[in-house]
Amino acid sequence: MARRDAEPDAVHSLNEPPAPTTQPTGVRYVPPDFTAPSLRDAPAARTATIERDGVLPDGFFATTNLPTYVKGADGQWLMPREPRMDGVLVRGADGGWWVREGRRVRTGDAVVVGLAEDGSEGVLVHAHGFVTEAEAAGDFHFMSSQVSREKPIDYGLIARMLVKEKRRGGYVIWVTGPALVHSRARDNLVWFIRNGYVQALLAGNAVAVHDIEAAVVGTTLGMTAEGAPSAGGHAAHMRAINAVRRAGSIAGAVKQGIVRDGIMHACVVEEVPFVLGGSIRDDGPLPDVLTDAVAAQEAMRAHATKATMAVMIATALHSIAVGNMLPAYYEDPQRGLVELPTICVDASEFLVSKLKDRGTHQAVGVVTNAQDFMSILRATVEREVAA
Amino acid sequence: MARRDAEPDAVHSLNEPPAPTTQPTGVRYVPPDFTAPSLRDAPAARTATIERDGVLPDGFFATTNLPTYVKGADGQWLMPREPRMDGVLVRGADGGWWVREGRRVRTGDAVVVGLAEDGSEGVLVHAHGFVTEAEAAGDFHFMSSQVSREKPIDYGLIARMLVKEKRRGGYVIWVTGPALVHSRARDNLVWFIRNGYVQALLAGNAVAVHDIEAAVVGTTLGMTAEGAPSAGGHAAHMRAINAVRRAGSIAGAVKQGIVRDGIMHACVVEEVPFVLGGSIRDDGPLPDVLTDAVAAQEAMRAHATKATMAVMIATALHSIAVGNMLPAYYEDPQRGLVELPTICVDASEFLVSKLKDRGTHQAVGVVTNAQDFMSILRATVEREVAA
Amino acid sequence: MARRDAEPDAVHSLNEPPAPTTQPTGVRYVPPDFTAPSLRDAPAARTATIERDGVLPDGFFATTNLPTYVKGADGQWLMPREPRMDGVLVRGADGGWWVREGRRVRTGDAVVVGLAEDGSEGVLVHAHGFVTEAEAAGDFHFMSSQVSREKPIDYGLIARMLVKEKRRGGYVIWVTGPALVHSRARDNLVWFIRNGYVQALLAGNAVAVHDIEAAVVGTTLGMTAEGAPSAGGHAAHMRAINAVRRAGSIAGAVKQGIVRDGIMHACVVEEVPFVLGGSIRDDGPLPDVLTDAVAAQEAMRAHATKATMAVMIATALHSIAVGNMLPAYYEDPQRGLVELPTICVDASEFLVSKLKDRGTHQAVGVVTNAQDFMSILRATVEREVAA
Amino acid sequence: MARRDAEPDAVHSLNEPPAPTTQPTGVRYVPPDFTAPSLRDAPAARTATIERDGVLPDGFFATTNLPTYVKGADGQWLMPREPRMDGVLVRGADGGWWVREGRRVRTGDAVVVGLAEDGSEGVLVHAHGFVTEAEAAGDFHFMSSQVSREKPIDYGLIARMLVKEKRRGGYVIWVTGPALVHSRARDNLVWFIRNGYVQALLAGNAVAVHDIEAAVVGTTLGMTAEGAPSAGGHAAHMRAINAVRRAGSIAGAVKQGIVRDGIMHACVVEEVPFVLGGSIRDDGPLPDVLTDAVAAQEAMRAHATKATMAVMIATALHSIAVGNMLPAYYEDPQRGLVELPTICVDASEFLVSKLKDRGTHQAVGVVTNAQDFMSILRATVEREVAA
């Protein structure tokens, strides 16, 4: 599952037969062999000029989240910056390449056109660069599905990854749904925030509303910590929202002592950035919510492009949203290209399969209850740190 | 499931012991007895004045989606207009009451305060007004869960409801997710639109994108009608989006002959209004999408307040969003108060339970595949019409 | 959830207006008022004589799992012994009543006939005897579904129940599926067995096979503890089965040192009885498996009739099987009638709903991963004992 | 999905470089090249002699459901008869090989030993013999999961397969769970039986009980066709069971006019064989039920070994049981080796994944409601036949 950490490694250098980068847990990146005739003789990528803001030329090249190389007029194969799927390749002022969503192209931009992904039109999608040590377990075996509640969850591995990311200054983004707050995993998420395992929190209005309802009223959606309804409980979340609206912002409500604990409180106090993306089902919303979906995407992408690990818990909407923005790898100064560990926790196999079906193939599924996941992961991290 | 149609009935008249309204399928509405001492002697509802736009007074009364009566200074019990859950009661210029989301209150508005729902503070939530003929099936029985894949689906009943709504000029809103397009239920939804069973379509960017991808490229998310991947398929939805962006709008793309069939085409041609609410996971988005969540809510509420029936298919996000806006009843000129039939179709019991857990208790769950639901429902409606 | 323990209470005495039995967590049993005219004047239950082994008379009375009283010729209302649903009432030699499955009636037996459950034909099903302190949380609230992954799991309560059962000598039956072994909850179940929290283990062939595969080969279904396939792994369970077949029995394999750890080992060493019921999908099976379903039911019922608590984990087949045999209450010498706590753990809401749909209405659902459930429950019990 | 039908094809002949068998829908079987040095020079399979009934030698070779070849002392590579997974290879009197479950070996039998599946110890598992025409859809695409509710269901293909099997005298086994009866797919299954699409029905007690309850009482588990509970309904299935017990057998109940319609009635009247395997959760059971799991397996295997197609609907227990017995291919006199089409219908992705995880990798999943599946499949077959 994890693919990266540990010892420094030679930076891979383009245009020469590169040494593979070794990575722990048996995965290493083998760059393309650019001396092979098919690549050596490939043409430079062709571009077309944008004629209208946000409108692409016919035949534009559509990006994936896999390692990609674009051949320039000078014969250099370069990897584009800010890689993500569903974007296009825009030439930068320095001759390098950027991945941009179609809506962000501007009149005059040079955008790569071509459909081939094998380098024959100047763009190479290197789908099989990450190599796992061969297994020789035979052709017929049981339990070969990728995502199943019957498979063991390797909490130790996830815990070690988190601890290593913290130690080496990684950037772990957490993407969470409201089930995390409902089901009292709240205290555990606070613990992860307070202890430096969360570099950004990406969520929606509901996470913050339920969390602040718990802080202000003591319930979530009017349900007590024991799962019972409370008198007048259906209004509790509205009272929480109103309290923050009166304070002007979540940070304001924290500063004024209205919100004294919980996830949002911890983010404010620990200065962990959060992005709350608006949605059609939001009550309120809270003043901090970016109600415009495009603005919310921009804000989340700013974190996704820095990510060295992603933990997605109990949210279909935001997991797929962030999955869309997230490359399947990142470049590390010491270790070269490493796969971007992406953990997706949900109560059903369906979400993880759906996430993979939307292209986030690297996601590792954990099928369990969010409350229990957080509880065991925290205990495992504590043990790992103590060890 | 259905609760309404058929013969006209006396309009119920407030402040006198009202005659119950009878409704088919054994459900009738029994208004409160306002001559009972507890209601007769109840005080008028108290109000507080809003001091800042969008900020509520402490102790505001929070609405539900159940029949509600507010006592005015003149002793009259009136039902508020545009009922929905999670709103507040605002006094109108004419002395009547409106339900408004908290963000919509303006400085100077008079908003009802009080927590009691039993009328003792001037607001009565009449939770048990809809009465079903008593069943006498004993205390112990099997198969008593509300939502289960093991329960039969009464397609005949749903079909008859749709046919009656069409005949009497009802307003049926359809709330749909992209699975409807993926799984080739597309043609059947087109049929319902073309034949007058759809008065408004509420959805997100993805429904329109997949539908237009099918029209323009012939795949959905790059998957052929047989479920196989296609060459370059991962870019197909981006090409569809780009085509519409170039045309300026979906209607433009239809008019220019770029989009020649499908759901959005049918809406444009049949002049069925649609609202596409933006979300954080949208590609594009299409130019017609309301990317601001609050604006999208306003646009959808305009349809929800007119609804006489709601059909929600394969979408957690939009089903809950619209469920939030939707009263559990509506007032019919002929028949008085009738329950608002709400059908929720999903592949798992979880969504319907979640929808009910968010207060849309009247939802009737249908646990099946969206493709199959549409196919059988259409055949059943065709038979019903022929009969 | 739990409803029983604590202080002794007067044994309720039939035929006099009984004092309600109080039970912790706000549940108490209020016996029927047999002095009420409808019961006082009710006739004795009628019986018919069995004419052929295993064939019932028309109009036989079918039992439920609720508290039931049968009026004898002497006017006494007696509760039948070995209550369960789907049985009939057979008069015993001493004039008392037994609940028996239809297949167990013998020629000459006197079996109660009659359909009424309200006492009017001499049989009273007392459906509402267990009374919970009234809640006054209003009519409209969120999160009112009975079973949902979004509801908190009260591990503390379950742990306290287990600890109390152990201290007062209760009889806790555990009903488990193979996911418990696959997913490495194995060590935790061993802990519960070794520490006296398991009075009987009811399962199928697969639980024992996977457990012994883990002991003998080190995999489950050929999957390593990390979830990876192993070379030749698809045969591993067959090698485990063969090893036990050679030893003659599981106990034999333990004694011969072939099986040195795990669930079955712990049962043998700690002398905790187990029943392994055969099924159509069994490999092997192991020699200890009761391949005849009727024989297996008899063996399991012997434990179900003694149960004071039931924990069902990750098995649809056995949970429903044992649910069928299990009364919803039991009679405690000190405390009178108490509800039988029944915890049902599964990864999806569906199983618990299905179990309830089969009449085990008292089941409390826990929607999570079996591995995580066991891990947290054990830690909670350890804390509870330490406290 | 389908892989076989159509034109006759050369029987593949062992020990010579074989011509691949072509099969429709782009799948063909390419036998091993036995002239390759590694196979040509491989030793004959080694055997060990059984010393005790039902106990295997160490190192026994465990079978899979894939095409398998065993090299004899004469250098001939032969395929074993009655292939299935989880068996062993027993030499027959004629020098050929049989696959047998371990419990069926007898003292003196010669059983193959060896772990290698690559032929190097005389046994070859030919895992990749079925070749699909290459797809060239690129490395990155969406919707690549194998089983998903979002994928289209190709009813036309399944219908054509069924019609072809009927026309050419195939042997289609149907494996069904009780949801099929509950949810009123009953009439449609009757239609398939009466029209010759069902060669054997493999199920449990519950299918027959619910079906006969519907015939005798008019409910299933006491639920009416509209899904409502009925008075005294919890006893309805017991009355159905008792009626059959009195009649002595299902066929007796049909002959005596007690059971006049439904699935079991159709099987009796049309002389379609059925096997009802007992289980721990059975009420009754009916007299026809094989309560011994081993006896039930033997009875079902007799049909599984003849199968040319399998349809599994809404049953985890029996789908996995029959999947265990079912080879992934069969040998057709005209067409050589063909894959055995296995359709698995369930409301959730989990069952199909689980079935595959138990080795039935060839299963094609259909994620939908059983009632709807049957309804649409029947209509599609009717159209196919009319065309």
Side-chain angles (χ1 to χ4, degrees), chain C residues 56 117 234 246 291-292, chain D residues 56 117 234 242 246 291-292:
Chain C
L56 298 167
E117 299 183 347
H234 69 83
R246 186 178 284 149
T291 58
D292 185 78
Chain D
L56 297 167
E117 299 182 348
H234 69 84
N242 195 48
R246 185 178 284 149
T291 58
D292 185 78

Side-chain angles (χ1 to χ4, degrees), chain B residues 91-144:
Chain B
R91 184 155 48 214
D94 63 355
W97 305 95
W98 294 87
V99 177
R100 291 268 178 276
E101 297 89 339
R103 64 175 177 264
R104 294 169 68 205
V105 300
R106 291 290 162 267
T107 306
D109 280 351
V111 165
V112 173
V113 292
L115 303 180
E117 300 181 349
D118 62 357
S120 62
E121 298 184 71
V123 187
L124 175 68
V125 178
H126 191 46
H128 304 293
F130 290 100
V131 177
T132 312
E133 302 313 312
E135 310 141 12
D139 287 309
F140 180 87
H141 46 75
F142 299 120
M143 300 305 297
S144 55

Side-chain angles (χ1 to χ4, degrees), chain B residues 140-285:
Chain B
F140 180 87
H141 46 75
F142 299 120
M143 300 305 297
S144 55
S145 67
Q146 291 192 292
V147 185
S148 168
R149 68 194 72 167
E150 293 186 313
K151 297 215 149 184
I153 304 171
D154 196 340
Y155 283 102
L157 181 58
I158 303 175
R160 285 192 297 280
M161 288 162 64
L162 282 170
V163 171
K164 278 195 184 140
E165 287 301 315
K166 179 178 171 183
R167 288 186 182 153
R168 68 177 196 75
Y171 199 89
V172 184
I173 60 176
W174 291 62
V175 184
T176 65
L180 209 70
V181 191
H182 272 309
S183 54
R184 309 297 145 167
R186 186 174 174 250
D187 292 347
N188 290 318
L189 182 49
V190 168
W191 184 90
F192 281 104
I193 294 168
R194 289 208 168 270
N195 285 277
Y197 296 101
V198 179
Q199 275 64 56
L201 180 69
L202 311 184
N205 182 62
V207 166
V209 167
H210 295 329
D211 174 61
I212 291 171
E213 180 189 329
V216 172
V217 187
T219 56
T220 56
L221 271 185
M223 176 172 67
T224 68
E226 289 72 39
S230 60
H234 69 82
H237 69 296
M238 292 174 62
R239 302 200 193 283
I241 292 166
N242 195 50
V244 178
R245 290 178 74 95
R246 185 178 285 149
S249 69
I250 293 173
V254 169
K255 267 152 215 158
Q256 295 169 32
I258 295 165
V259 173
R260 293 162 191 264
D261 60 34
I263 297 166
M264 302 317 298
H265 177 267
C267 284
V268 169
V269 169
E270 302 291 337
E271 299 184 350
V272 169
F274 59 86
V275 180
L276 303 178
S279 99
I280 184 74
R281 51 168 286 207
D282 290 348
D283 285 305

Side-chain angles (χ1 to χ4, degrees), chain A residues 336-358:
Chain A
L337 244 55
V338 284
E339 281 196 293
L340 203 159
T342 306
I343 312 293
C344 180
V345 182
D346 199 74
S348 87
E349 285 85 359
F350 179 61
L351 172 56
V352 188
S353 291
K354 188 168 176 174
L355 181 62
K356 288 173 174 288
D357 272 353
R358 267 60 178 181

Side-chain angles (χ1 to χ4, degrees), chain C residues 189-328:
Chain C
L189 181 49
V190 167
W191 184 90
F192 281 104
I193 295 168
R194 289 207 167 272
N195 285 277
Y197 296 102
V198 180
Q199 275 63 58
L201 180 69
L202 311 184
N205 182 62
V207 166
V209 167
H210 295 328
D211 174 60
I212 292 171
E213 180 188 329
V216 171
V217 188
T219 56
T220 57
L221 272 185
M223 176 172 66
T224 68
E226 289 72 39
S230 60
H234 69 83
H237 68 297
M238 293 174 62
R239 303 199 192 282
I241 292 167
N242 195 48
V244 178
R245 290 178 73 96
R246 186 178 284 149
S249 70
I250 294 173
V254 169
K255 268 152 214 158
Q256 296 169 32
I258 295 165
V259 173
R260 292 161 192 266
D261 60 34
I263 296 166
M264 302 317 299
H265 177 268
C267 284
V268 169
V269 169
E270 302 293 337
E271 300 184 350
V272 168
F274 57 86
V275 180
L276 303 178
S279 98
I280 184 73
R281 51 168 285 208
D282 291 348
D283 284 305
L286 292 168
D288 302 71
V289 168
L290 294 170
T291 58
D292 185 78
V294 171
Q297 281 193 16
E298 310 277 322
M300 289 197 180
R301 192 187 52 232
H303 297 287
T305 54
K306 288 192 268 184
T308 60
M309 180 171 176
V311 184
M312 300 167 167
I313 306 178
T315 168
L317 180 64
H318 287 95
S319 295
I320 293 175
V322 174
N324 283 351
M325 301 170 191
L326 207 62

Side-chain angles (χ1 to χ4, degrees), chain A residues 146-197:
Chain A
Q146 291 193 292
V147 185
S148 167
R149 67 194 73 167
E150 292 185 315
K151 296 215 149 185
I153 304 171
D154 195 340
Y155 283 103
L157 181 57
I158 304 175
R160 285 193 297 278
M161 288 161 64
L162 282 170
V163 171
K164 279 196 184 139
E165 288 301 315
K166 179 178 171 183
R167 288 185 182 153
R168 67 177 197 78
Y171 199 88
V172 184
I173 59 175
W174 292 61
V175 184
T176 65
L180 209 71
V181 192
H182 272 310
S183 55
R184 308 298 144 167
R186 187 175 175 248
D187 291 348
N188 290 318
L189 181 49
V190 167
W191 184 90
F192 282 103
I193 295 168
R194 289 206 168 272
N195 284 277
Y197 296 102

Side-chain angles (χ1 to χ4, degrees), chain D residues 115-137:
Chain D
L115 302 181
E117 299 182 348
D118 61 357
S120 62
E121 299 186 68
V123 187
L124 175 67
V125 177
H126 191 45
H128 304 294
F130 291 100
V131 176
T132 312
E133 302 312 312
E135 309 142 13

